[in-house]
Amino acid sequence: MSSTTLPAGLQVLQTLHEDWQTVGALVSEIGAFQLDGAGPQGDVDALVVRLCARLYALSGVEMELPYPLLADCPALDSGRTMHEQMVGDVHALLDAVVDDDHFDASIALVAQHARLLREFEYAEVYPRCACADVASIGERVCSRRSQLLDSFNTE
């Protein structure tokens, strides 16, 4: 079933799910370059920028839109902390690419924190979204996501 035939609330979750899939694919591609011995050059740089843009947009969208709908969820403080860490990791990874310093450690940290954040979102946030009025934010999620991705000018 394509996301265009889903109810609005499910489209929001499908969009976020697709973004997490893209993050996973980008991390895998970057990892493949690392296994081949390629450093952060050329294609890897472009993949890293796309990964950072996607994580930045995903984090911004999730914090700004679904989280406020779930204000009664005690786990959201942990989620907010994880999102703040992710944004810090993104900045450190971009710095590592520019300075060619600690790239391997930076990408490993981003990959680990992205995995933990994804697991948290799937376990704590998305199930609660089913009970919230997620459909009301559907259009704003897509619009804000586009704005954040455009700010990186990579998609």
Side-chain angles (χ1 to χ4, degrees), residues 6 8 22 25 36 46 57 100 112 119 121 124 138 144 147 150:
L6 294 172
T22 299
D36 291 340
D100 199 25
Q112 176 186 10
E119 289 170 1
E121 296 293 330
E124 299 292 334
R144 184 64 177 138
Q147 289 173 344
D150 286 348

Side-chain angles (χ1 to χ4, degrees), residues 9 13 27 32 34 36 39 65-66 98 104 122 126 128 147:
L13 296 178
V27 166
Q34 287 179 294
D36 291 340
L65 298 166
V98 170
D104 290 342
Y122 277 69
Y126 296 172
R128 287 178 171 84
Q147 289 173 344

Side-chain angles (χ1 to χ4, degrees), residues 73-119:
C73 175
L76 289 187
D77 286 340
S78 294
R80 286 184 185 95
T81 300
M82 292 172 85
H83 278 284
E84 289 169 5
Q85 179 65 52
M86 180 57 58
V87 170
D89 291 346
V90 163
H91 288 286
L93 179 57
L94 290 171
D95 289 345
V97 169
V98 170
D99 297 336
D100 199 25
D101 186 33
H102 307 295
F103 175 78
D104 290 342
S106 295
I107 189 64
L109 190 62
V110 166
Q112 176 186 10
H113 287 164
R115 181 184 54 78
L116 292 172
L117 181 56
R118 180 182 186 267
E119 289 170 1

